[in-house]
Amino acid sequence: MSVLVYVEQVDGKFKKSVFEAVSYAKAIADIQGSSLTAISIGNVGEAELKELGKYGASKVLNVSNDQLKNFVNQAYASVIAEAAKKENAAVVVLSNSFSGKGLAPRVAVKLEAGLVDGAVELPKLDGGQFLVKKTAFSGKAFAITELTSAIKVIALNPNAFGVKESAVEATVEAFSPEIKATDFTAIVKEIVRATNKVSLPDAELVVSAGRGLKGPENWGMIEELANLLGAATACSKPVSDADWRPHSEHVGQTGIAISPNLYIAIGISGAIQHLAGVSSSKVIVVINIDPEAPFFKVADYGIVGDAFVVVPKLIEALKAHKG
Amino acid sequence: MKILVCISNVPDTTTKITFTNDNTQFNTSGVSFIVNPYDEIALSRAIELCAGDKGTVTVINVGESVTEPTIRKALAIGADDAVRINAEPRDAYFTAYQIAEYAKTTDYDMILCGRESIDYNGSQVAAMVGEFLDIPSISIIKKLDYDGTTATIEREIEGGKEVVSVSGKFIASCAEGTAVATIPNMRGIMSARSKPLQVVEAKEIAQISKVQQFDTPPPRGAVKLVPADETEKLIGLLHSEAKVI
């Protein structure tokens, strides 16, 4: 019996969310007294693969195959399920990333496994039960879900567990699973990646703005503040609906739910739908001209003031702090 | 062209979430239910693709009779007919299995649904249906064009987007940007009453997951206000007290 973790690569590199998933999977392996194997798909170098040992993966299955260079949901799910069977995995862990959200359910069906996505804590093994806490109602609640299948699949929310080092020597093993032609009906034609931008779901720091900014032409100072912090930018629903910012930046109940370490909300009043998607942020800062804005009720820190005055001052203060 | 759109019956986005029976059940008292907002986006795109007699849109919901007002709303938005699989949707595995079993009995070109439900926030159904049917599943899409045989789809990836081409049957889960949700007009509301709504009994499948209990996040402490002309104080607090920068 073992724990298997899927390690998603981007251009041959692993991101922080992968080390977080490996750390989480290692903690499950420790609870169960089993070992941790990672499965990597795509062209990743030996040194990068060995890096996974730092977080507790003692074995890395490496599928290096040009056909699998780009993410194809069906084919990747087949590979992960085959690896799970080969490793006799009792638990399979993935990141609840854009790709993970598409993969985990297919892997679960292939393995006839119960799946918890959006997991926020380690599973609790309570009197023979296997219980996993997950977000529900867009952050307004948690659902503690029992998985009763022989194999369990868990997709971990970004920033929920943190990266924890647990160094072991990782051995890298080539893995050549059976690849079916029918798994490649969907063909990737083009990938456009904004390399200099911080990905919103993974971001530890997020600077977000709303209608209080009055128009898309005023986003320069939001981007400047985000750049200085190394933060991702986000926005409220009315802003993306008005096409001031792309839909991919919309956070909230009907946008992306996020849980960064720091969420700075500028010119956003804090409608219940917006709060639902951001309230699990560890620290919330609100800047709003209206002292009665509902957002202040859930904020840790606040400034009552005009964004056009406060944000430039904040930028100056941050520059001074950074020296 | 025939498009199947999966819709979920969820609490209105303004609902205050509470639980009953020792936090084991969602308290539905006084809660109004709506078509899951992401599913509305999927439905709107399906209606756009079929506009001008290019095809028909069938909505499918797994739910007991209480979900029929929500199904009628989808018909009012513009779906041609509806199917309700008569069962309480106990988890995504169960729901996806029922949808796949129904899809096996009908001739469709594509299946669309929302990227996730706003109650359990699961983004499982689309990919599970894809696996049950052994067809491609493309998750969290932002754009969908269809030329009658091939779909060109943009999907969101970490820090960017990917363009995917797929021929033959597929399922996709729609996010914002795929379409703007359509608001039903009076004609739609009137005609929805007479559109066909077929009820199909559910099929048995083993239960492998169950929500045992709900929990709510602890209340946050009071806000610490910083004067607007002392922004350096806020930076200091974020650095030394909150330790986030």
Side-chain angles (χ1 to χ4, degrees), chain A residues 2-321:
Chain A
S2 71
V3 175
L4 182 77
V5 59
Y6 166 61
V7 287
E8 180 181 334
Q9 52 93 12
V10 176
D11 297 332
K13 298 277 173 204
F14 298 127
K15 294 194 304 175
K16 195 205 87 180
S17 57
V18 162
F19 301 132
E20 188 176 18
V22 176
S23 306
Y24 179 82
K26 168 64 176 167
I28 297 175
D30 286 346
I31 292 170
Q32 298 198 321
S34 60
S35 62
L36 176 63
T37 301
I39 168 89
S40 168
I41 309 171
N43 301 325
V44 184
E46 177 103 3
E48 187 76 2
L49 293 170
K50 286 216 165 244
E51 188 77 356
L52 300 170
K54 199 193 280 184
Y55 308 97
S58 53
K59 187 183 346 177
V60 182
L61 298 177
N62 180 30
V63 183
S64 185
N65 179 321
D66 268 356
Q67 247 190 308
L68 295 167
K69 195 173 72 174
N70 290 326
F71 174 76
V72 177
N73 207 0
Q74 268 174 296
Y76 275 43
S78 296
V79 172
I80 296 167
E82 199 178 320
K85 285 176 190 160
K86 170 182 153 34
E87 292 298 301
N88 192 21
V91 181
V92 179
V93 174
L94 303 94
S95 297
N96 202 34
S97 61
F98 289 120
S99 301
K101 284 178 183 189
L103 264 178
R106 291 199 83 118
V107 171
V109 172
K110 278 182 190 292
L111 298 172
E112 292 178 32
L115 161 65
V116 173
D117 58 359
V120 293
E121 279 182 9
L122 278 176
K124 282 195 175 63
L125 278 64
D126 188 5
Q129 286 185 310
F130 189 98
L131 300 164
V132 190
K133 189 174 183 177
K134 64 157 279 159
T135 53
F137 300 99
S138 308
K140 292 180 202 168
F142 300 104
I144 295 150
T145 306
E146 184 185 8
L147 297 179
T148 51
S149 49
I151 303 174
K152 284 99 176 162
V153 180
I154 305 174
L156 175 70
N157 258 4
N159 298 324
F161 186 72
V163 174
K164 294 178 175 57
E165 289 196 15
S166 177
V168 293
E169 182 67 29
T171 52
V172 177
E173 195 180 287
F175 179 48
S176 306
E178 186 197 343
I179 294 171
K180 291 188 295 177
T182 49
D183 277 350
F184 293 90
T185 324
I187 302 155
V188 176
K189 295 282 183 193
E190 189 189 0
I191 296 174
V192 184
R193 224 182 275 275
T195 47
N196 57 344
K197 284 203 83 171
V198 181
S199 169
L200 184 55
D202 289 338
E204 291 187 27
L205 311 176
V206 175
V207 179
S208 185
R211 267 187 302 194
L213 267 284
K214 293 188 166 65
E217 66 280 6
N218 296 321
W219 244 260
M221 62 181 184
I222 302 300
E223 283 174 343
E224 188 180 354
L225 180 60
N227 282 340
L228 274 170
L229 286 166
T233 50
C235 69
S236 63
K237 187 173 190 292
V239 164
S240 63
D241 281 351
D243 281 336
W244 294 0
R245 300 296 289 180
H247 286 288
S248 55
E249 286 197 2
H250 165 204
V251 290
Q253 186 161 20
T254 55
I256 297 173
I258 53 169
S259 50
N261 290 335
L262 172 63
Y263 183 72
I264 302 180
I266 300 165
I268 302 174
S269 62
I272 188 168
Q273 295 93 336
H274 186 82
L275 297 182
V278 304
S279 58
S280 55
S281 305
K282 289 182 186 73
V283 175
I284 296 176
V285 174
V286 170
I287 298 168
N288 203 295
I289 200 159
D290 176 11
E292 300 300 319
F295 223 146
F296 284 116
K297 289 195 171 61
V298 298
D300 299 285
Y301 301 100
I303 292 180
V304 178
D306 184 349
F308 295 98
V309 178
V310 174
V311 176
K313 280 189 182 168
L314 199 57
I315 289 169
E316 290 315 308
L318 191 58
K319 280 180 182 165
H321 169 79

Side-chain angles (χ1 to χ4, degrees), chain B residues 44-225:
Chain B
S44 298
R45 187 60 192 140
I47 292 165
E48 286 170 5
L49 289 170
C50 291
D53 290 332
K54 285 205 213 72
T56 58
V57 178
T58 302
V59 288
I60 181 165
N61 166 256
V62 179
E64 293 176 312
S65 57
V66 291
T67 69
E68 288 199 4
T70 296
I71 297 172
R72 289 284 172 205
K73 181 163 179 224
L75 292 169
I77 289 170
D80 296 282
D81 59 356
V83 177
R84 179 170 66 80
I85 310 289
N86 189 29
E88 190 182 351
R90 56 192 190 208
D91 62 11
Y93 196 79
F94 176 85
T95 302
Y97 179 73
Q98 304 305 332
I99 294 168
E101 286 298 300
Y102 175 79
K104 283 176 188 171
T105 67
T106 184
D107 190 25
Y108 61 89
D109 296 283
M110 68 179 89
I111 309 176
L112 301 180
C113 63
R115 61 176 277 175
E116 67 183 67
S117 68
I118 63 162
D119 49 5
Y120 290 94
N121 302 121
S123 39
Q124 305 182 15
V125 168
M128 282 185 173
V129 170
E131 186 58 36
F132 280 125
L133 292 173
D134 198 20
I135 59 172
S137 52
I138 298 109
S139 296
I140 316 181
I141 73 163
K142 298 159 68 72
K143 200 174 172 194
L144 165 63
D145 291 317
Y146 188 65
D147 68 5
T149 52
T150 304
T152 304
I153 295 170
E154 251 180 54
R155 77 171 194 97
E156 193 153 7
I157 56 172
E158 272 67 22
K161 64 174 185 182
E162 188 174 273
V163 182
V164 178
S165 166
V166 56
S167 302
K169 291 179 179 183
F170 67 94
I171 180 163
S173 67
C174 302
E176 314 87 325
T178 315
V180 176
T182 314
I183 297 162
N185 56 27
M186 190 47 77
R187 195 167 150 235
I189 293 165
M190 298 304 286
S191 66
R193 292 179 191 167
S194 55
K195 285 180 179 174
L197 195 167
Q198 187 193 349
V199 178
V200 176
E201 291 308 315
K203 294 201 172 169
E204 244 335 287
I205 184 172
Q207 180 156 16
I208 53 177
S209 79
K210 186 175 192 297
V211 174
Q212 293 291 7
Q213 197 157 31
F214 293 97
D215 198 1
T216 45
R220 301 183 84 104
V223 62
K224 201 176 265 188
L225 287 176

